[in-house]
Amino acid sequence: MFFGGKEEEAAAKASPEGTMKTQTRKQRKKRTRWPWIVMILIMILVIAAAAHSMMRQASNTDSSAAQSSSVSQAHPAPAPESESEPEPTATPVPTATLEPELATDRPITTEEAAEMDALLDSMPGSISVWIQDIGSGQTYTYKPDNGFYCASTLKAPYALWLCQWDEDGLIDLDAAVGSGSGWDLIYPMIAHSSNGAAHDLGAMWPGGLDTGFSDFLTELGFASPEGCEVVEEGIHGWVTGADGGRAMRALYDYFETGTENALELQEAFLAADHDLLYCPAPAAKKYGSWDQALHDMAIVYAERPYIISMFTDWGDQEVSFPEEGRERMQQVGQLAAEIILND
């Protein structure tokens, strides 16, 4: 048997070398535990600090809210003042321009228009007719785009153009023109269709493409305004029955303004002494007559006013009012009056 284990262990502990080994193991155990202890302490401190901070923030928030609530209830904060910006105002609604009130009844029936068509179809040559009931605005047309030499009908819109220019201060119709004034020439140019008066006015205030007269005719709705002119050398232009009707409607509207110029010009048109289209009441009218051009247009001031414009190629340069042409125009004027006035 082997006996000696305990004695050897005791001897080892008693010896210096054995003592050093035992101390080294204990030191290692101490060194191994120390870092963990430090880390745990640090974590405890961090958690404690965080908890303390959160509690302080919560306390401050409650205090601030209470204080703010107290202040806002006792002393409401004033609204910011504005020194330069005015209070907003509502944008004004633009006022619409009132249109003339039109009559609800329309005098020209389909059957009556067909009757007028049949009458005009029975007549020779080229014809263009424009008739308008002023009260309702209803318009009858027959071949409104047929064109003719204007002859003296262009004097009508030319006189209107001059009167409006005078009112706008662009010209002075009281100025000396020829042997008289502008007004002294407008009357015979319209009432008696004086070519001499038209030429003198055209020399003083030419109506053409460069002076704005063509633009004026464009506004009226003329088919070929660029070639229309009233100048010292004469009267030129290509027009339709519809152009004549629109010119007379513009004159009617101008007369209704009641200005001094408008009333004086209306007097000249009412004084026209020719007899082509039949008119059952006083009429402001203007005719034109030349070779292959016999035209008449009128504002008829009947109980129910209307406008009638008839342009034809029945003219004769040697005769101002060819009898056959005049008779046909009388027939058309009579039928128009029956239709519009229900006679």
Side-chain angles (χ1 to χ4, degrees):
M1 293 181 65
F2 182 73
F3 300 99
K6 292 183 179 180
E7 288 85 355
E8 291 177 0
E9 184 177 354
K13 289 181 179 179
S15 66
E17 181 178 357
T19 303
M20 292 179 61
K21 288 181 180 180
T22 302
Q23 291 177 350
T24 302
R25 281 197 297 264
K26 291 180 180 180
Q27 290 175 355
R28 286 178 182 173
K29 288 181 181 181
K30 291 181 181 180
R31 291 173 185 170
T32 304
R33 293 192 189 115
W34 174 250
W36 287 102
I37 294 172
V38 172
M39 291 178 62
I40 291 171
L41 291 175
I42 291 174
M43 291 177 64
I44 292 172
L45 292 173
V46 169
I47 293 171
H52 182 68
S53 177
M54 292 174 64
M55 291 176 65
R56 289 185 60 186
Q57 289 180 358
S59 177
N60 291 339
T61 301
D62 293 340
S63 177
S64 297
Q67 183 178 2
S68 175
S69 174
S70 176
V71 170
S72 62
Q73 291 176 7
H75 304 284
E81 296 181 357
S82 175
E83 298 179 356
S84 59
E85 295 181 2
E87 294 183 1
T89 56
T91 303
V93 178
T95 303
T97 301
L98 297 178
E99 296 292 337
E101 185 175 352
L102 299 179
T104 56
D105 57 323
R106 299 166 70 83
I108 306 174
T109 66
T110 302
E111 293 75 14
E112 289 168 338
E115 185 180 0
M116 181 65 78
D117 286 347
L119 175 61
L120 295 171
D121 285 340
S122 69
M123 296 179 176
S126 181
I127 304 171
S128 181
V129 174
W130 193 92
I131 302 172
Q132 184 179 81
D133 170 54
I134 293 175
S136 67
Q138 185 184 15
T139 303
Y140 165 86
T141 61
Y142 178 86
K143 298 181 179 179
D145 297 328
N146 282 3
F148 310 87
Y149 168 61
C150 63
S152 289
T153 60
L154 200 60
K155 296 171 183 175
Y158 175 64
L160 173 60
W161 180 65
L162 290 178
C163 287
Q164 290 182 337
W165 267 39
D166 179 73
E167 288 180 339
D168 293 340
L170 301 174
I171 63 173
D172 182 7
L173 287 176
D174 292 322
V177 181
S179 58
S181 67
W183 279 115
D184 292 334
L185 295 178
I186 283 180
Y187 186 90
M189 179 182 71
I190 298 301
H192 310 302
S193 198
S194 169
N195 287 330
H199 296 167
D200 287 346
L201 287 169
M204 183 72 170
W205 300 297
L209 185 63
D210 298 333
T211 60
F213 182 57
S214 296
D215 293 335
F216 174 73
L217 296 180
T218 299
E219 293 175 0
L220 295 184
F222 271 51
S224 302
E226 298 82 3
C228 295
E229 61 178 9
V230 179
V231 293
E232 183 177 10
E233 294 76 18
I235 300 171
H236 314 104
W238 196 254
V239 295
T240 69
D243 292 341
R246 295 187 185 103
M248 298 308 286
R249 180 55 202 249
L251 281 160
Y252 174 84
D253 293 339
Y254 180 62
F255 298 155
E256 289 296 297
T257 64
T259 65
E260 183 178 353
N261 280 11
L263 295 178
E264 191 163 351
L265 183 61
Q266 184 184 37
E267 182 180 347
F269 276 92
L270 288 169
D273 53 6
H274 65 275
D275 184 24
L276 286 174
L277 283 169
Y278 168 77
C279 297
K285 53 190 179 179
K286 185 72 195 75
Y287 81 94
S289 177
W290 196 246
D291 194 29
Q292 296 188 347
L294 183 63
H295 317 319
D296 198 11
M297 47 194 193
I299 303 168
V300 183
Y301 288 99
E303 182 179 352
R304 182 165 192 148
Y306 63 93
I307 295 169
I308 181 169
S309 170
M310 184 171 182
F311 283 41
T312 75
D313 62 355
W314 301 336
D316 185 341
Q317 183 176 344
E318 304 300 326
V319 182
S320 295
F321 307 111
E323 185 59 26
E324 291 184 354
R326 192 192 70 82
E327 290 178 357
R328 297 187 195 111
M329 284 193 167
Q330 286 281 307
Q331 293 177 27
V332 173
Q334 288 174 353
L335 181 56
E338 292 173 7
I339 292 173
I340 298 294
L341 304 177
N342 294 317
D343 291 342

